[in-house]
Amino acid sequence: MSKVFVRFKRTQPATAAILHAQKMATQLSVITASRKAPRLLKLRPEDLIRHQTVTKAWSLFQAEERAEQEAQLRNQYQSTLDAVELLQKISPRLYKSVTTPDNNITVFPRGGLRTPTEYPPTIVWRYQIKPN
Amino acid sequence: MFNRSFSLSSKSYLPGVWSNFNSVRSTSLSIPFKPTKDYILNKTAGSKPPSLKKLSNKIKYQSPEGLDEIFKLSYNYLENNAKKIYDKLESTSDLKTRENLLIQAEINNPEVQYNFQYSNKLENNPNLIDYEQPIYRYLGKKHWESYSQMLLMQRLETLHVIPDTMPTLDPKAEVNVRFPFSTGLNLWIEPGDTLSSNTTSMEPSIKIQEYDLIDTTKQLYTILIVNPDNVDIENDSYYTSLNYALTNIKLSYNDNIVDARKFTNLKQNLLVDYQPPVPEKNAGQQRFSTWVFRQKDIMNNENILSKYANKFKSNFNIRKFAEYNNLEAIGAHVWRSEWDSNVANVRNIYGMPQGRVFTRERF
Amino acid sequence: MIRSGIRTMASVASKENTKVINSGLILSRIPIVTPDLTEFEKKYYNYQSELEKRLMWTFPYYFYFRKGTLAERRFLKAQKYPVSKQPGVWYPKGIPDIRQNRERRSKQDVILPKEQEDINESLEKISRPVVPNPRTTKADETGDLTSLERKLSRTLYLLLKNKTGEWEFPTFQLKEDDALLHLNAETGLRTLGGKNINTWTVSKTPVAAYENNNGSDITFFIKSHILGGKFDLQENDTYSNFAWLTKDEVKNHIKTDYFNKVDCLLSKV
């Protein structure tokens, strides 16, 4: 009679199913609020009023900034218009040249303009340009 | 400066427009309870809201982090804006514009907001909500429009008070009705409520809250309570009766409950004495609608009585009455009554004849 | 206002008109870092982020650290755990309400385990700690107005000082018959500041016109950005100095009516 010891019997299919189920449970748990939601934030009347004041001030501040920006844009447009009209009076040739569409100039530069970041890059400015 | 500057610390004036209570500025624009005012305006790190009474609750409560720091800046910013508006106000003389500017200057004041949001708006304490102030009138109107006005209009329309009495209503003033406590119900009644005959056995007090800018020293009001559901068997129809009529009533923004104290001059004020609702059995519900009018000028009650007294009881035409007297409808209210076991008692008290009992078969 | 010597040579202008036409160049260096926040903005953002943290769901660490791993153990070790609820204990600040190791009545502080600090930080090492560069540079400290590295959070504009001692935007007269405004400005800039400069002219349409000397001398401004290289003032007989300035500084350097013309064209950031 021979004994066969199967010490670490591999039960691959069953384990895989459990692991898969566990993974699903974890992923579902991440996107559901159950047991993760904090308590409701209850403010006393005094604090609620203070919060409303802050919110109001912020929205007014934003509105002011926006109005300023819009006014600047309007002025810029007017300024361009005035300049071009003046040019038409003085020099019809230049007027024609600036009002004829030209695709070459409106192309955004290759490499682009750098988007501002919170902190500067290690090389702040490239002083040497590649010769064309 | 073009740099993104935030003007507050550069200009520090003491005290600010919102805390400078000189003779002109009403104290109702400030929170009278000092601990609350201190907490809102100058909260220190450890302090807890005074609306919490129990010590254990105070220890437990935590106000949001970062709020104290930002609140000071926000308050100064808003106060600075208010100061600019007050400066503009000095060079303005037009009443409407002034009213608008006064509203704009105070609407962001946290003290005003606190007073308004957390105190009784209907039975207002003039120390907290002073409707003489344009800002409180504005807030009151917004509050009224947000619910009560819509409810009123819905009830008027579904109960067909409009157009059974007046053709339509452009609501301008809030009207509330309450019957005296001795009749058992001491509540401001909701438009459309069905009330027992006992409750309505004595004349109601009517609160008329004006929100518009008017000259309270001159403006006069007329109040009519009409019942368009009296049974008219001869014509197989209904007729309208006038159950209560008050004229030449003077109101102010804060003192505006119309009851026996308000009409001292009976001859001038009381046109028709109160006739309590006494619906007849099986005649269904009757609508009692209260109408409030602004008068163009003073009304001569003796003239009206001598001409139309006979029409008030049996065949009253509220539209013609309003047109004839130059009345502008600004508010309304309605309650319903139906026959109950107490009607006979009410009839007794007022010395009215016994009511009829209607059955399906007429005989 | 300037260049009386040049104006005598205005042969082109006199053909078309009696007026002298110049093309001006508003050359800007856009900000390299985000704008500085005002005190109000800083505190408001702080307040909002605190509110957000308070209302945030509990961090699902089990999603990021698999069970039984070293990383999980390191993470759990680094956390600070709230006071737990025990029977028979009086809690003055309210009975703890803990779920998944988070006090539900307050914000959760998620502490990341600290990386081992390397003493010899070399750029090659990927796991070196991130140290941001400072937002102010050497040029700010020394007050070097000609540096392109000054005031990283603001837009800088190129201003030149002419022989009469007045500051102005680079201005170049149209000399040839077929000269165009923007091309004239571009070539003018390169003769003045050397070839080692890369610019992008936004449009050939002028954005403003400034009439000088009672309207006999008109400058049309063209907008352009510097992308690379530098402006290096060459030997010339018109300008003696140059500077890269913010809008506030531009205002202090140039005449009021000149500034009012270009006010709306300059960014306040």
Side-chain angles (χ1 to χ4, degrees):
Chain A
M1 197 180 155
S2 65
K3 281 184 184 172
V4 180
F5 290 101
V6 187
R7 281 170 85 184
F8 300 107
K9 198 187 171 196
R10 305 194 109 182
T11 50
Q12 187 63 36
T15 321
I18 293 168
L19 277 177
H20 186 248
Q22 273 179 354
K23 200 173 166 189
M24 290 298 287
T26 309
Q27 285 177 354
L28 276 176
S29 147
V30 168
I31 55 167
T32 51
S34 85
R35 297 175 57 77
K36 291 214 302 296
R39 281 254 194 107
L40 206 66
L41 181 62
K42 282 181 191 153
L43 295 183
R44 297 303 303 172
E46 294 93 336
D47 278 338
L48 198 58
I49 292 288
R50 278 146 52 81
H51 173 81
Q52 286 171 2
T53 311
V54 169
T55 316
K56 190 74 205 181
W58 179 252
S59 66
L60 279 183
F61 175 63
Q62 296 281 60
E64 233 171 59
E65 295 254 294
R66 227 167 21 244
E68 207 176 303
Q69 211 165 3
E70 276 165 20
Q72 192 187 9
L73 279 177
R74 230 175 293 123
N75 288 343
Q76 282 180 356
Y77 181 77
Q78 194 56 45
S79 168
T80 309
L81 205 65
D82 291 347
V84 175
E85 274 172 6
L86 186 65
L87 195 61
Q88 187 180 22
K89 259 187 264 167
I90 294 171
S91 165
R93 178 186 68 84
L94 283 176
Y95 171 74
K96 205 183 162 199
S97 82
V98 302
T99 48
T100 334
D102 178 2
N103 287 334
N104 285 338
I105 196 151
T106 49
V107 166
F108 196 70
R110 218 192 298 165
L113 294 164
R114 190 178 170 281
T115 310
T117 47
E118 197 165 348
Y119 295 101
T122 312
I123 300 162
V124 179
W125 190 258
R126 295 194 182 274
Y127 286 100
Q128 282 303 319
I129 59 160
K130 284 177 202 159
N132 285 346
Chain B
M1 283 275 95
F2 307 102
N3 199 352
R4 292 149 54 74
S5 60
F6 188 76
S7 59
L8 41 102
S9 52
S10 52
K11 273 185 255 161
S12 62
Y13 43 92
L14 285 165
V17 274
W18 283 345
S19 41
N20 182 14
F21 286 94
N22 48 26
S23 53
V24 184
R25 191 172 167 79
S26 161
T27 48
S28 69
L29 299 174
S30 155
I31 300 172
F33 187 51
K34 201 159 178 308
T36 308
K37 181 172 175 164
D38 276 350
Y39 180 86
I40 290 183
L41 297 187
N42 321 302
K43 180 179 178 290
T44 48
S47 62
K48 303 282 173 166
S51 63
L52 286 168
K53 295 286 179 284
K54 266 169 75 180
L55 184 65
S56 58
N57 286 343
K58 281 189 180 183
I59 293 170
K60 272 182 218 168
Y61 183 79
Q62 266 196 325
S63 61
E65 279 176 56
L67 179 55
D68 299 356
E69 295 87 17
I70 182 65
F71 175 78
K72 286 226 168 80
L73 291 181
S74 310
Y75 184 82
N76 289 347
Y77 176 69
L78 293 173
E79 202 179 31
N80 266 333
N81 277 359
K83 187 172 188 303
K84 279 177 214 156
I85 298 172
Y86 271 116
D87 289 345
K88 211 194 276 177
L89 191 73
E90 275 170 23
S91 57
T92 320
S93 59
D94 179 44
L95 280 179
K96 269 263 167 68
T97 327
R98 279 185 72 86
E99 170 119 336
N100 271 336
L101 286 176
L102 279 170
I103 291 168
Q104 288 311 314
E106 291 297 332
I107 193 158
N108 297 323
N109 187 345
E111 295 187 70
V112 169
Q113 289 289 348
Y114 182 86
N115 279 350
F116 187 78
Q117 289 181 27
Y118 296 103
S119 39
N120 195 339
K121 296 157 199 72
L122 185 53
E123 286 172 70
N124 62 313
N125 173 359
N127 288 329
L128 294 163
I129 299 181
D130 178 7
Y131 285 118
E132 299 277 351
Q133 300 296 323
I135 176 62
Y136 284 119
R137 283 208 297 280
Y138 174 80
L139 291 172
K141 188 167 191 181
K142 286 280 166 241
H143 180 256
W144 174 51
E145 283 170 351
S146 71
Y147 181 73
S148 312
Q149 193 200 60
M150 289 193 273
L151 182 85
L152 170 76
M153 290 312 282
Q154 188 236 353
R155 297 291 154 86
L156 290 181
E157 281 169 14
T158 49
L159 293 175
H160 299 288
V161 173
I162 295 170
D164 284 359
T165 51
M166 291 294 284
T168 186
L169 172 67
D170 176 14
K172 284 176 186 154
E174 185 174 359
V175 177
N176 279 286
V177 173
R178 178 165 74 175
F179 285 94
F181 183 60
S182 54
T183 58
L185 186 72
N186 193 27
L187 290 173
W188 295 104
I189 58 177
E190 192 177 286
D193 273 355
T194 307
L195 304 177
S196 75
S197 61
N198 182 38
T199 306
T200 57
S201 62
M202 286 163 85
E203 69 262 38
S205 33
I206 297 158
K207 185 177 162 84
I208 301 159
Q209 183 64 57
E210 276 278 13
Y211 295 118
D212 293 350
L213 178 66
I214 45 160
D215 187 359
T216 46
T217 53
K218 285 183 189 149
Q219 185 63 53
L220 296 172
Y221 296 87
T222 292
I223 301 158
L224 306 177
I225 296 181
V226 293
N227 169 18
D229 296 325
N230 293 292
V231 180
D232 182 2
I233 292 181
E234 283 78 49
N235 300 321
D236 197 14
S237 176
Y238 297 93
Y239 65 86
T240 306
S241 64
L242 180 61
N243 287 48
Y244 197 32
L246 302 170
T247 54
N248 304 329
I249 302 283
K250 204 177 251 183
L251 300 168
S252 70
Y253 283 123
N254 287 320
D255 179 20
N256 48 20
I257 297 182
V258 181
D259 52 17
R261 283 172 302 140
K262 258 275 180 279
F263 39 97
T264 42
N265 188 344
L266 283 185
K267 234 183 201 170
Q268 231 192 39
N269 293 135
L270 190 63
L271 187 65
V272 174
D273 212 347
Y274 185 61
Q275 297 288 310
V278 279
E280 288 157 318
K281 194 170 181 181
N282 294 341
Q285 284 184 324
Q286 298 189 337
R287 299 160 292 174
F288 286 82
S289 58
T290 311
W291 284 89
V292 175
F293 303 89
R294 275 188 203 147
Q295 289 175 206
K296 284 274 184 307
D297 41 37
I298 195 159
M299 273 162 68
N300 190 339
N301 284 354
E302 281 176 37
N303 257 353
I304 297 167
L305 275 176
S306 63
K307 270 189 185 171
Y308 300 100
N310 58 333
K311 286 201 171 175
F312 287 161
K313 260 202 179 152
S314 57
N315 192 12
F316 180 65
N317 190 335
I318 188 171
R319 298 187 187 195
K320 272 192 183 160
F321 182 85
E323 198 182 332
Y324 178 77
N325 292 303
N326 255 335
L327 300 175
E328 181 201 2
I330 53 162
H333 201 279
V334 60
W335 81 83
R336 288 178 287 180
S337 293
E338 71 191 325
W339 182 88
D340 58 33
S341 54
N342 197 50
V343 167
N345 195 13
V346 177
R347 281 178 183 273
N348 247 342
I349 295 168
Y350 281 84
M352 291 187 224
Q354 273 208 327
R356 294 166 292 183
V357 177
F358 292 97
T359 56
R360 237 172 247 284
E361 297 286 321
R362 287 193 194 148
F363 53 85
Chain C
M1 70 183 140
I2 29 149
R3 292 188 321 289
S4 52
I6 295 174
R7 233 185 311 116
T8 50
M9 308 186 294
S11 54
V12 182
S14 57
K15 266 184 210 165
E16 294 183 8
N17 205 307
T18 50
K19 291 178 179 182
V20 178
I21 298 177
N22 299 315
S23 61
L25 188 66
I26 299 179
L27 187 64
S28 69
R29 190 224 61 190
I30 61 163
I32 287 170
V33 296
T34 48
D36 296 325
L37 295 181
T38 62
E39 198 60 11
F40 182 63
E41 284 170 317
K42 246 184 251 168
K43 283 180 173 164
Y44 181 80
Y45 290 143
N46 173 48
Y47 174 53
Q48 287 298 317
S49 83
E50 287 295 336
L51 273 185
E52 208 165 287
K53 280 182 200 161
R54 164 68 180 77
L55 298 171
M56 203 171 68
W57 287 0
T58 306
F59 175 66
Y61 77 90
Y62 46 84
F63 182 72
Y64 297 95
F65 302 102
R66 194 190 274 187
K67 216 172 176 182
T69 54
L70 258 172
E72 188 210 22
R73 206 195 297 175
R74 266 210 301 272
F75 175 78
L76 290 179
K77 209 176 161 193
Q79 301 313 302
K80 277 183 193 153
Y81 293 100
V83 179
S84 60
K85 184 184 164 188
Q86 303 288 343
V89 176
W90 179 64
Y91 296 94
K93 294 212 161 186
I95 299 158
D97 180 9
I98 292 170
R99 286 232 183 114
Q100 297 193 355
N101 288 331
R102 188 243 172 115
E103 171 59 72
R104 291 177 69 225
R105 296 170 306 166
S106 55
K107 72 171 178 185
Q108 182 189 18
D109 282 319
V110 180
I111 305 160
L112 291 180
K114 242 187 191 164
E115 307 270 329
Q116 285 171 341
E117 277 176 41
D118 220 331
I119 302 153
N120 48 337
E121 294 164 16
S122 60
L123 287 177
E124 289 82 53
K125 200 148 190 236
I126 293 169
S127 64
R128 69 185 190 278
V130 177
V131 181
N133 296 324
R135 283 168 65 95
T136 51
T137 56
K138 219 157 89 188
D140 287 324
E141 284 159 25
T142 55
D144 179 11
L145 293 181
T146 58
S147 171
L148 276 162
E149 290 183 15
R150 66 187 297 268
K151 303 249 176 186
L152 296 182
S153 61
R154 302 288 307 272
T155 312
L156 300 181
Y157 297 95
L158 178 66
L159 236 58
L160 299 175
K161 190 183 190 181
N162 60 30
K163 293 288 190 228
T164 53
E166 277 180 283
W167 288 88
E168 60 173 6
F169 288 100
T171 311
F172 313 100
Q173 198 192 344
L174 262 68
K175 287 175 188 162
E176 292 89 34
D177 281 339
D178 56 347
L180 296 178
L181 283 175
H182 66 287
L183 291 179
N184 187 51
E186 278 178 28
T187 49
L189 181 76
R190 276 162 183 77
T191 42
L192 210 59
K195 291 264 186 294
N196 183 28
I197 191 166
N198 189 5
T199 59
W200 173 49
T201 303
V202 180
S203 163
K204 56 185 180 176
T205 313
V207 285
Y210 173 67
E211 296 183 51
N212 193 38
N213 289 337
N214 306 323
S216 62
D217 184 338
I218 298 176
T219 308
F220 289 96
F221 289 104
I222 300 288
K223 256 195 171 182
S224 185
H225 297 298
I226 180 166
L227 303 172
K230 67 192 280 193
F231 181 82
D232 214 355
L233 195 62
Q234 311 285 313
E235 276 296 312
N236 71 94
D237 50 359
T238 337
Y239 297 111
S240 61
N241 202 358
F242 76 100
W244 289 97
L245 303 172
T246 64
K247 187 176 183 180
D248 317 350
E249 293 161 343
V250 167
K251 191 185 184 186
N252 294 334
H253 276 74
I254 62 181
K255 285 197 293 187
T256 316
D257 68 320
Y258 190 49
F259 177 76
N260 287 343
K261 270 284 168 204
V262 293
D263 185 5
C264 61
L265 306 173
L266 308 183
S267 166
K268 70 166 191 168
V269 179

